[in-house]
Amino acid sequence: MMGIFELSLRLAGFPIKKAQTAFEAILQIPETDYQNFIENKKTEIVHFHLKNNSFYSDLCKGKNIENWNDLPVLTKADLQQPLSQRLSKGFSEPNVFVNKTSGSSGTPFIFAKDRMAHALTWAHIIHVFGQHAVDFNTDFQARFYGIPKAYCGNRKERLKDVLSNRYRFSIFDLSDAELEKILKKFENKKFDYINGYTSSIVLFAKYLESKNIILKKICPSLKVCIVTSEMLFDADKVVLEKQFGISIVNEYGASELGVIAMQNSKQEWAINSQTLFVEILDHNNQPVPHGIEGKIAVTSLYNKAHPFIRYEIGDTGILDEKSTAKFPILKKLIGRTNDIAILPSGKKSPGLTFYYVTKSIIEDDGNVKEFVIKQLKADTFEIEYISLKALETTQIEKIKAAIDLYLEPNLKLIFSKKDFLKRSKSGKLKQFVSLIQ
């Protein structure tokens, strides 16, 4: 019998049962045949987009398309043009899944996935979460994620929460008073697992530490905590394990791709080799040997609506030497960390709060290319951006209104148009940086 979560996917137009059947067939492919399977899927998706996607075929002009390593590496900047210009033949916004990236790298864009590809993404997520005894159809999730404050967007997310059997905690205010309210919810609700942004969950754990409280003791139904979107440092993981009293699992993913890797029972980062192909590249966009650090590039093997082929996600990492085609292991992940903003009122907000501010400046015309937000003082933030033209007064007012709504009023904003933005040593552009901590 189909559970409510899977039923909600089907009612939304995603063929989840068909995808799960296809996914199970992939899992059954033996190791000896898996390299050929991956190579065939890579060839299929490239040839499909060369034939049906003018955006991708234009990128490949002058390239040796028969040699995988000669194919272009797709950057986020490449994708900052109207979505209609990036969709494949036969696909339009009404018949695809459309979403926006978080902009955590400082380079946000709108993307699309065809319905079968999105269903396969969910088949994989259901599978890997199931390995940690999480059942989306029956288990109750404590969700540490952002949520739109505008009425329609808020109601939509709340409905999705109901259908997905989860309770969402707002992460925009993580002051002690709000953390105490979160604690009360754990006392009164039978949560089965925790999922959400690393920094928010760590702040909650540190609050519990200050109160000398073990979460499992007040919420015995809890069995696992899965953190995502930001780096989980070893010291923070120790705090989480101690204060929650449950196992802590690290997930590495992206909204445009789904789960890229998740820690397994051996604490290894098991890479998604069922719907994705992950490479580690050097500065010349050539694969490096296992054990060598490089740029992470990901190929979505099934997304026909929109090409993600050799897509440079903005992180660096290392593939384990014992990786195989079917069981690749991410030995080390570098990057994906966000600072905490501490505001004049004492309110604390994670850096990813600025995801909701970026919505104010994301335009599908590709005007604003990159941006970073720096906290210069408790009440002063500088927004540096690269744009074809300076922000208009209406855009600035929209950003100020969003910051008033999501953070707090009376913050000082400095807007600085730049020719280039400073990047970290790894080459990643960090969206939010606090200079006062």
Side-chain angles (χ1 to χ4, degrees), residues 74-80 105 107-109 256 311-314:
L74 194 63
T75 68
K76 297 187 179 188
D78 292 328
L79 302 175
Q80 287 189 306
S105 66
T107 315
F109 62 89
E256 61 269 40
Y311 165 56
E312 186 179 327
I313 197 165

Side-chain angles (χ1 to χ4, degrees), residues 10 12 30 81 93 96 143 159 161 167 220 233 246 255 269 317 333 347 358 361 420:
R10 192 183 73 177
Q81 55 181 281
E93 291 197 31
V96 297
R143 189 171 182 83
L159 176 59
D161 288 339
Y167 183 90
F233 296 104
I246 54 178
S255 56
W269 286 90
L333 175 65
K347 177 179 175 181
T358 68
I361 54 176
F420 66 94

Side-chain angles (χ1 to χ4, degrees), residues 356-374:
Y356 294 92
V357 176
T358 68
K359 286 181 179 292
S360 302
I361 54 176
I362 290 177
E363 298 287 348
D364 204 18
D365 62 8
N367 183 37
V368 176
K369 294 296 184 182
E370 294 181 322
F371 64 92
V372 295
I373 302 173
K374 296 180 179 180

Side-chain angles (χ1 to χ4, degrees), residues 97 109 168 170 199 267 344:
F97 171 75
F109 62 89
R168 186 187 300 243
S170 175
S199 61
Q267 298 298 300

Side-chain angles (χ1 to χ4, degrees), residues 12 49 101 110 114 189 209 217 242 333 343 408 418:
H49 285 300
T101 62
I110 296 170
D114 64 80
K189 293 182 177 291
E209 185 177 40
K217 291 183 178 179
K242 178 184 175 185
L333 175 65
L343 306 177
E408 63 183 51
K418 302 287 186 180

